[in-house]
Every structure is written in C-alpha cells, then in structure tokens.
Amino acid sequence: MAGTAAAGRYVGQSVKRLEDPRLVTGHGRYVDDIALPGMLHAAFGRSDLARAAITQLDTTAAEALEGVRAVFTGADLNPHNDSLRASLYPPTSPAPPANMLADGDVRFVGDPYVMVVAESRYIAEDALDLVEAEFEPLDPVVDYETAADSEHHVHPELGGNLAHDVAVPNPTQQEAFENAAHIITETWHQHRQTNVPMETRGIVASWQPHAGVMEVWASSQSPHEMQLVGARVLGIGEHKMVVHFGDVGGGFGQKMFLGREDMAVLVAAKLLASPLKWIEDRRENLMASNHARIEQMAVSMAVDGDGCFLAADLDQLEDDGAYPLGGPATPGAMAAMLFPGPYRMGPVSWRARTVYTNTCGRGAYRGPWQMESVAREQMIDRVAREVGMDPLELRRRNVLRPGDLPYEAPTGLSFETTISPEQTLEQAAEMIGYDEFRAEQAEAREQGRYLGLGMALYIEPTSMGMGPLGTESAMLRVEVDGSVNVFMGTGSHGQSLETTMAQLVADELGVRPEDVTLHQGHGSGYGFGTGGSRSAVIAGGAARAAASGVRDKVVAIAAHLMEASADDLEVADGVISVRGTPAASMTMAQVAATAYQNSDALPAGMDAGLEHTARYKAPPSTHSNACHMCVCELDPGTGKVSLLRYVVSEDCGVLINPMVVDGQIAGGVAQGIGGVLYEHCVYDESGNPLASTFLDYLVPTAAEVPELETGHVVVPSDTPGGHKGTGEGGAIGAPPAVFNAVADALAPFGAYPNRQPLDPDTVLGLIASASD
Amino acid sequence: MADQKSLSMTVNGRTRRGRGEPRLTLADFLREQALCTGVHVGCEHGVCGSCTVLMDGEAVRSCLLFAVQADGADITTVEGLAPDPETLHPVQEAFRDCHGLQCGFCTPGFILSVAAFLEANPDPTDDEIRHGIAGNLCRCTGYQGIVAATRQAAAAMRAGE
C-alpha cells in the first residue's frame, strides 16, 4: 500500500528548515524579546485559596510605590468584559461568568484578582506584596467525581457544578449485551496534566489613542483569534487590531485562545495608552494557565465467544476546573463518538458529563479527546486478558480491514477508504518483532525480569472542516525580482510551516523553497491558526491553490513572451522553459518584472501583477491513523518503569517533509510517556496545587525518552496533495501504549491498573495490593 | 529601592557595561542591557536550562545567578557561538541537520549545554549523551533530533581539531 502518491521535487523531501538559521543563533523574536519605548510591565496577584470571599482589597500602598503606574482590580477592568467568548464557543451555551479579574470572590488557587502595572516587572512584583487583601475561606469543590452533588457551587451564578450532561442511549446496544458471551467492565482514569510549552504565555499590547489602533505581539497559535476576540474585547474593528506574529515557543493547545490575562493586558494598555507587556512566569503557567486530561470513562464491552466486539456502553466524566480556557467544552462527547476507533465495535451507548471545580481550568492539550483511545485501547488489553486471548490477535480479529471501507461507525462517524489501521498494526508488529518479543518476555520472567509490551491503535479525525475551523487562506505574491511572499492565517509554533508551506508552494509554482517566505499574523486572511492537526491539509490546501493560480498566469505570460505554447512550458526552480528545449527559457524574475513594470507587454486583456489569493475549504474530517508499540521493563523492587523500545507505524498520507513528520510524532510520544509515568498536577484536598515548579511537575528528559523507531504507511487522502494531519497523533497513541506495556509487565503479579500516573509508588502499591 | 551597582563583563568578546540592583539576574542583564535576547528564560528556577550561557567557559544557568556575580566574567551566549555571519558552530549546524529543534525556545540553552558537554567529553556514548543533556528540557522534539545532533556535532568537532 506504501508510496502510491508521486513525490514532488520538494514535497516528500526532508528539506532543512528555513526557520533554523535564526533560531539556532539566538535571532528568533519571541514575545518577550519585544521592547517598545515607554513600555510598562504587568504582574498579577493571584489567589492562594481555592474558594474564598474577598472581604477587603486595598491597593493604596501598592499604588504609592515609586515606579508603579496603576493597580487594577476586577471592579476596574471587568466592566469592559461583555464579549470575552472564544470563537469556538457558541454564545447561547452556559458558561462561567466572563471576567478578567476575580471580583468579590476567588474560585481557584491562581485566580487573578489584582493587576499591577509598573516600570519594571521587578517593581510590579514588589507592589503586589503591598496589596492588602483579606479573604474569608469557603469550602472548595476539589474532587470532580463528587462535584456534581456538592452543595457548594464553583460558580454560584450557574446554580450547580454540572457544566454539561449529554446522553445518547442505543437500544440495540442493550440487546447485544443480553446475548454476549462476555461483558467486561472497567473505569479508566486519566490524571491532571498540563501542556508546558517551554515559552510561557505572554503578550505586548500598544494602544495608539488618537488613531484608535491596538498593536499586539502575542505568543499565540492563532493570530486571528487574537485579532477577532481582542477587537471584540476592546470594542474596536478588526481593521484597527494589528496582530504581529513572531516566533512562538510551543503551545500544544494552550495558546489557541486568549486567556483572561491576555484580555486584561489589552484593556489595561488601552486605559493607560501605554505599551504594556505581560510574560507569564512558570509558576503561573503550571498552576493557572490550563490543565487537561482530568477525566474518567467507565466502559462496558460485550464480546462474543470468538473475541469479536459486539457492543459498548460508555460513561465519561471530565473536570472543567473553574474557568476553562477557550470556554467550557464537551470533549467527552467527542471521546464517546470516537470510541469505536479502528474497529468493528457494534452499537455504542454513551453519556458524557463535565463538571466545574475550584481548580485551574481545563484547556485543549494535544489530542484533547484522546480519552477515546486511552479507554478503548486499555480496555481491549483488559478484554484480551479476561478472555484469555493475545492482545494483538484480539485486535486483528476486530480491526477495520480495507474491505470494510468506507465504514460508518455506530456513533455516526464516517471513515473514508483512505485509512489503513490494519496495515499500521501489522507494520508495527513486524517492526517490534512481536512474536520474538513474547518469547523473550517468557524467558525474562523465568529469570525474574518483568518485561511488558503495550500497543495502541487509533484513528484521528484531523483537519476538521467545519465552523470556524473549516477554511484557511493564502495570499501569494511573486515580487518583482521573482521571489515569493505568501501570507497565511496559520500560527506556526514549532510545526515548521515556514518550511513545509514553502515546499508546497515551490512544487506548485515552480520555484525553490528558499525563494518563498511565509508571513503569518497581520496582513493575512482569516484562519483559525495552527492546532488540531489542521495545517498540512487546510493551510496546505490554500497554499497549493494560491500557488497554482499564480503558476497559470506565469505560464501564460511566459508563453506570450517566448511565443511558445503554454502546454509546452514547464516551471521549476524559478525557470520557465520549453519542455525538451532547455535553452529556450526565461526566469521567474523576467516574468514578474514584465507583470509589474512592463505591463503593456502582457497578453491582451491580462491584468497586471503576479499575485493570487485562495481559500481552501476542507472536508468534514481527514482521518490519519497509527499504531504504537512499546516495550518496558519494570523493577519490582523500586517500582521504576524503563522504556526499552518504542515503535510507531503511522499513516499521515503523503509526507510533505519526513523529518518534520517524525519530529512531530516524537514530540507527541514524549508527552504521552511523560503523562503516564511522570507528570502530575497534584492538588491537595484543600485545592492547593502541589506541582508549581519543574521540581514537582516532572517533564521527561532525554534520559527517560527512548529512541523512537518510525514506520510510514502512505495511503494518500482525497485532499489536495494527499496529506493528513499528524501533529497530535503521537500524544494520542502513546498514553495507552505505555499504560498497556506497564499493565502487561504487572500481569504476573495479578495486578490490574486502571489509573495513571504509573509512578513508582503506584506501581509498588499495585504489586503489594495484588499479592494481599 | 536598593542601590544600583555598576556592572561590567565581556559578552561575546565585547565589553558590556551596565547598572542594576543587586537582585538583577544575569539572565535579565544579558537580555535587557547586553541585548542578547537569545538567552531564553523558561522557568526562572534553574530546572529547564533554557537560559544556559557559558561563564568563563562553563555552562551556567543565568536565571540562578545575579548579574553582580558575573561582574568581570567572560560570558558567551548563543549569539556569540557562530564564528562568522556565514558559518554556524558545529553544534548549531548539527541541530539544524538533525531537526534538533522545533519551536526553538529551548534551543539556545541546549546548544550551549551541548557545546560545554562536548568540550568536557569529546567522544561520548549515546547513554552519556542522554544523561549529559538531561539537565535541559525540550517539550517539542522528544529529544530524538537533539541526541542525534549531539552525536553529529561530537564527530564534527573531533574531525575539526
């Protein structure tokens, strides 16, 4: 099945990144590198209590400190806040009260209730110490499992803690259960984690009072979300909101939407008519930016005597925290709908609930509904164990095969013929040497060593083509000298779009990648930005269409000037030549100079200039798929888990840049490894975050992440170029694969893990309780 | 406010003079007064390593040092590593060749840490590389390209000597 699409001259090559010369020499420009004349600095005072009434707030002493320009409370800023909703969140849905700063009460540890603006960050933080605030502690809602029944309400305005409750029962599911040979039930828990971009959030806002223009530099994945929502917050038109896009130090979902602090900085910068900078510190990032993956799914699966899946029943519960970043979402519904994944699952009933708690708000984190894969893949391993079948064999028995496609999943999703779950399953099994491993594992157990193999197979809906997410645009201009500028609504923050979009344009237009510069932010057309594994397909589709439009004109002009037939011309590396007669040629620069500076020489009736704007609308979903397999060794004396091998077989369609694809997968895998084994945003029962530094929140290092082996199955999608999204996949497949490996290593002890993290204490506890 | 101290240090071969309170961190001095914005501040508590610079040839965390502690020192930031505007340092070249960076934020710290590591251990094993760079955090790459880049840079630097 591999390699059916033709690679281009540059597409398909591991072209070295155009971003790198500036980034490896320290010449990137991140938001904290912006310094404007007269720029002031903001710092936020944040609640130390999970839930409390503010009984006194006196800012007099803080305001009196030399170098302090202003101190804002909720009463000062919140009157400006009637339109803070993120683009993806429908205005009619229930939501927490919209505010930038807490006013009257605080609702989680880290809730900002005061903002100091001063001549330096040092002075701003000094002034925070002078703010006199008193609080009357209230009982917090910390445990999300009991939040819905709590008499205490996170948001009293809403009258309860239940944010969403959606149920879709399926009567045929119940029938299938009645006749099943096996019904297996387990509740799978993920635990609170956070995105941890190495660059924290930050913004610089500069208001031009008489012009009514706001100029913004922000660490953002979505410059147009900043432009649109920022303009709404300020009550100005988008044409007066100038959002510059520089280098962005990672996001993983955290920088898709504006945070309350971003909005506070915008409003304060306007009130003060002075440039204002806020850079989040790491403690703020870890305790108050956004958390994710705080969820559980109770799964019951019915299986027949041959191990064929018959039906499933799902009950998903997720913690939204207090102020979910980007609005209260219903990822649980997506998780349930995606649960059947790459298998013939039979009918599925599901319920999904989300609750508010007095904790840091939930936000998107790479694969925001990956609970579908976590719960399903861990469940399949459990089913295999219960019915006494090899987990690979069980998957083989149920996986969607090419003959099953196209496939309508029982939860309403449609899979096109261009997915390849069975092929990736087999490729991964071959890469890891599945049968050989099982022999090695048995031998090791005899020697007292505990090895485990875990696998996970999934399908990811990428590049969703609906609502605000549906389209991207590219405005492409060949300059007079033949070089190319392309303006796009993306927000590349590590995805290498300056390179990959240049590769697409280079092939489509007939230039070299280094002749193309990608511009993002101000001047580009609306697009939702970079996230949701959407840029390759949707932004790529726009880049191709824009380049193709210009190429047609280039060829028409060259044919006219060279007195050749357009059909006989080819364009490559900036040279237009007559096929088979390379001597008859002209350069892109000659064509461009004619188009702009000698337009009388153009074909009759042709418009001058050499530019084209295109907008690509994506299909509802372009599915990518992958299979992860990994091997771990567990030390029963210390509980330590070490990963020995990690294999990924993936199908993201035609690879634009294999080096970049492998890099995206590796990063996601490392995050999944960290999530299962090391990372945990711990709260105590009073709602105090206990992991607010990197000494407590353990991001994996090079010593914990093994070498990654990647295999590619290439089944081109039906979208232009045949690409599929791949940014999130690593972080979707890795958690269940790592979890299943540890569970497999624990099996000889009779232990049945059902929750993360699988840190040494937990592993030792599982071994001890199993032997009791 | 505390007294301002005058400061003088060599940064990338040039003398940089400035002033600051005793609490001014070296990272902030380098970024704001020496204008070396390649010094990236990722955690301000000495764990992530993004702010790593070379002080008298040794890798240090500039967020954990006060500028006054570096008074008179010889500092190299990532801006000072490439020998000339057309040529990259072998470590920089290797990071580009091996896709050792994505967002680029941790990269200056990694490059300086690797440069110092290879100075001390010019021919490391893969295991030594993984542990040698475990004091720096990257959230994008899963370290695959960084380990490969360190391997390539080690070979290039050995060949260049």
Side-chain angles (χ1 to χ4, degrees):
Chain A
M1 223 27 181
T4 51
R9 193 178 184 88
Y10 295 106
V11 170
Q13 309 299 322
S14 290
V15 171
K16 284 193 213 175
R17 298 204 322 163
L18 301 174
E19 292 89 341
D20 287 354
R22 72 169 185 274
L23 297 179
V24 299
T25 54
H27 296 108
R29 184 165 292 162
Y30 299 85
V31 62
D32 196 20
D33 304 338
I34 302 298
L36 301 177
M39 187 173 74
L40 301 171
H41 299 262
F44 290 91
R46 296 177 182 274
S47 172
D48 292 325
L49 294 163
R51 182 164 170 253
I54 303 173
T55 54
Q56 194 207 325
L57 186 54
D58 183 350
T59 60
T60 318
E63 284 164 27
L65 184 69
E66 189 186 342
V68 170
R69 185 71 176 271
V71 181
F72 295 106
T73 64
D76 301 321
L77 291 191
N78 292 342
H80 299 271
N81 76 359
D82 57 353
S83 52
L84 303 188
R85 281 172 192 273
S87 290
L88 282 188
Y89 194 66
T92 52
S93 299
N99 64 36
M100 288 171 268
L101 296 178
D103 192 7
D105 66 329
V106 288
R107 301 183 182 184
F108 71 101
V109 173
D111 199 351
Y113 64 88
V114 67
M115 175 191 192
V116 173
V117 175
E119 288 168 8
S120 80
R121 178 65 175 254
Y122 288 76
I123 296 170
E125 295 196 19
D126 288 344
L128 285 178
D129 290 340
L130 301 174
V131 172
E132 289 174 30
E134 285 180 28
F135 298 89
E136 182 190 328
L138 301 167
D139 290 332
V141 180
V142 180
D143 174 20
Y144 80 102
E145 297 188 32
T146 56
D149 301 323
S150 174
E151 60 184 301
H152 306 298
H153 295 163
V154 176
H155 301 297
E157 301 85 347
L158 299 178
N161 295 329
L162 190 62
H164 292 284
D165 187 352
V166 186
V168 181
N170 183 332
T172 58
Q173 170 263 315
Q174 285 142 17
E175 279 169 41
F177 267 53
E178 282 161 23
N179 301 315
H182 309 276
I183 293 174
I184 293 130
T185 298
E186 180 61 277
T187 301
W188 303 101
H189 302 256
Q190 291 203 89
H191 65 288
R192 187 178 285 268
Q193 299 158 46
T194 187
N195 307 42
V196 193
M198 292 315 298
E199 181 205 36
T200 56
R201 294 182 298 146
I203 182 169
V204 174
S206 178
W207 177 250
Q208 299 164 18
H210 299 285
V213 168
M214 180 63 87
E215 208 173 355
V216 174
W217 292 255
S219 184
S220 169
Q221 299 176 223
S222 181
H224 284 276
E225 179 77 358
M226 176 60 74
Q227 178 178 310
L228 178 62
V229 178
R232 270 191 219 145
V233 169
L234 294 166
I236 61 175
E238 280 192 76
H239 65 310
K240 301 281 191 183
M241 184 82 184
V242 177
V243 178
H244 300 284
F245 189 83
D247 288 307
V248 176
F252 316 110
Q254 188 168 79
K255 297 174 181 173
M256 211 73 207
F257 302 102
L258 280 71
R260 293 158 77 207
E261 300 90 341
D262 296 318
M263 300 178 191
V265 169
L266 289 172
V267 171
K270 185 179 173 192
L271 292 173
L272 294 169
S274 181
L276 180 58
K277 173 189 277 189
W278 171 65
I279 303 296
E280 183 182 54
D281 70 25
R282 184 56 65 183
R283 181 165 175 269
E284 292 178 294
N285 181 263
L286 288 172
M287 75 178 190
S289 209
N290 76 276
H291 292 167
R293 314 246 200 273
I294 321 125
E295 58 194 323
Q296 55 181 277
M297 188 186 270
V299 183
S300 290
M301 264 178 77
V303 180
D304 75 10
D306 296 324
C308 295
F309 304 155
L310 298 176
D313 181 46
L314 316 173
D315 190 355
Q316 156 90 357
L317 177 65
E318 180 159 16
D319 189 345
D320 244 348
Y323 293 100
L325 187 60
T330 50
M334 276 301 289
M337 289 168 70
L338 291 166
F339 181 85
Y343 305 99
R344 295 178 303 278
M345 184 64 72
V348 176
S349 294
W350 59 270
R351 181 184 189 191
R353 286 168 296 160
T354 315
V355 293
Y356 293 113
T357 60
N358 292 112
T359 63
C360 176
R362 176 202 177 277
Y365 178 30
R366 206 171 195 171
W369 44 73
Q370 47 79 286
M371 189 61 176
E372 48 86 20
S373 287
V374 168
R376 180 190 61 247
E377 293 302 309
Q378 294 175 189
M379 192 68 193
I380 289 174
D381 268 32
R382 178 64 65 80
V383 168
R385 197 160 152 184
E386 295 289 342
V387 305
M389 192 179 286
D390 179 88
L392 176 58
E393 179 54 32
L394 182 61
R395 285 178 174 82
R396 281 176 171 150
R397 206 158 283 197
N398 291 283
V399 70
L400 292 173
R401 301 188 191 100
D404 296 320
L405 304 173
Y407 186 75
E408 186 86 23
T411 48
L413 296 176
S414 299
F415 295 129
E416 54 276 30
T417 56
T418 51
I419 58 168
S420 58
E422 187 187 35
Q423 295 94 313
T424 55
L425 180 68
E426 295 303 337
Q427 187 180 61
E430 190 183 325
M431 286 169 69
I432 207 148
Y434 189 81
D435 296 334
E436 298 85 334
F437 170 77
R438 289 299 181 200
E440 185 194 339
Q441 181 184 36
E443 203 174 307
R445 273 181 197 167
E446 283 173 19
Q447 297 161 2
R449 290 176 59 213
Y450 294 87
L451 304 183
L453 184 148
M455 67 184 86
L457 186 67
Y458 68 86
I459 298 177
E460 183 196 355
T462 78
S463 321
M464 296 180 121
M466 54 197 77
L469 295 167
T471 72
E472 285 286 340
S473 95
M475 301 157 64
L476 188 145
R477 188 167 69 230
V478 178
E479 303 295 350
V480 179
D481 71 352
S483 61
V484 180
N485 281 309
V486 55
F487 297 79
M488 301 183 66
T490 48
S492 185
H493 51 287
Q495 290 78 4
S496 321
L497 297 187
E498 289 173 48
T499 308
T500 54
M501 292 300 126
Q503 287 176 257
L504 294 179
V505 168
D507 273 0
E508 203 70 41
L509 179 59
V511 293
R512 302 171 307 168
E514 58 267 38
D515 297 329
V516 181
T517 296
L518 173 66
H519 302 267
Q520 303 169 97
H522 183 55
S524 65
Y526 177 77
F528 197 68
T530 294
S533 304
R534 63 192 297 279
S535 292
V537 171
I538 309 184
R544 280 178 182 280
S548 167
V550 173
R551 186 187 187 281
D552 290 345
K553 191 166 180 180
V554 168
V555 169
I557 295 171
H560 177 70
L561 296 177
M562 295 163 72
E563 296 176 349
S565 162
D567 293 340
D568 293 338
L569 295 186
E570 58 187 6
V571 190
D573 289 349
V575 177
I576 305 97
S577 53
V578 178
R579 204 172 283 112
T581 319
S585 70
M586 62 190 301
T587 64
M588 189 67 77
Q590 289 171 305
V591 171
T594 307
Y596 292 107
Q597 296 180 324
N598 188 18
S599 54
D600 291 335
L602 292 173
M606 181 184 276
D607 290 337
L610 203 48
E611 55 199 320
H612 187 72
T613 297
R615 180 167 289 277
Y616 175 71
K617 164 76 168 76
S621 198
T622 301
H623 293 94
S624 63
N625 57 271
C627 181
H628 291 219
M629 289 197 189
C630 64
V631 170
C632 75
E633 177 157 9
L634 183 155
D635 180 340
T638 64
K640 186 187 176 195
V641 172
S642 306
L643 288 169
L644 307 181
R645 287 192 64 196
Y646 204 109
V647 163
V648 176
S649 166
E650 69 82 44
D651 181 354
C652 69
V654 175
L655 292 81
I656 300 173
N657 184 321
M659 175 186 84
V660 167
V661 169
D662 286 355
Q664 289 295 309
I665 295 167
V669 166
Q671 287 175 327
I673 292 170
V676 174
L677 298 178
Y678 310 111
E679 301 173 30
H680 191 184
C681 299
V682 181
Y683 276 92
D684 71 11
E685 56 193 27
S686 304
N688 295 305
L690 303 182
S692 61
T693 73
F694 280 149
L695 293 171
D696 311 297
Y697 192 84
L698 302 177
V699 172
T701 74
E704 283 85 44
V705 181
E707 190 175 326
L708 188 68
E709 303 157 59
T710 315
H712 302 283
V713 173
V714 180
V715 181
S717 73
D718 295 329
T719 59
H723 315 301
K724 306 168 185 174
T726 198
E728 294 163 290
I732 296 171
V738 173
F739 186 97
N740 283 339
V742 180
D744 187 40
L746 280 167
F749 298 98
Y752 288 84
N754 66 0
R755 62 178 70 224
Q756 313 162 0
L758 291 168
D759 54 35
D761 279 351
T762 305
V763 167
L764 288 178
L766 283 162
I767 293 172
S769 57
S771 60
D772 281 348
Chain B
M1 246 181 287
D3 288 342
Q4 300 265 324
K5 306 282 181 195
S6 59
L7 295 157
S8 172
M9 59 188 90
T10 306
V11 180
N12 300 327
R14 287 176 57 200
T15 303
R16 292 284 191 174
R17 293 192 176 81
R19 294 182 70 74
E21 294 174 70
R23 65 174 174 173
L24 179 72
T25 66
L26 177 58
D28 284 348
F29 175 83
L30 292 171
R31 289 180 52 79
E32 290 163 15
Q33 298 193 34
L35 305 178
C36 294
T37 52
V39 179
H40 292 166
V41 179
C43 73
E44 293 179 281
H45 52 262
V47 180
C48 79
S50 293
C51 67
T52 301
V53 299
L54 303 182
M55 180 161 130
D56 298 326
E58 207 173 310
V60 298
R61 314 229 144 170
S62 60
C63 76
L64 286 189
L65 283 164
F66 294 115
V68 291
Q69 291 176 281
D71 197 26
D74 184 6
I75 304 287
T76 303
T77 71
V78 73
E79 289 96 334
L81 215 50
D84 62 65
E86 301 300 317
T87 316
L88 294 174
H89 184 279
V91 177
Q92 293 170 320
E93 191 77 55
F95 267 66
R96 186 180 189 208
D97 288 347
C98 302
H99 197 29
L101 65 153
Q102 289 178 24
C103 82
F105 194 80
C106 73
T107 309
F110 258 105
I111 285 175
L112 289 161
S113 292
V114 167
F117 168 69
L118 293 178
E119 201 63 44
N121 186 352
D123 192 8
T125 64
D126 273 13
D127 200 50
E128 286 170 343
I129 290 173
R130 286 186 174 276
H131 286 90
I133 62 174
N136 288 60
L137 299 180
C138 169
R139 193 61 161 169
C140 291
T141 63
Y143 305 102
Q144 307 295 314
I146 298 176
V147 171
T150 306
R151 220 183 275 138
Q152 176 182 313
M157 287 164 72
R158 286 197 309 275
E161 272 169 12

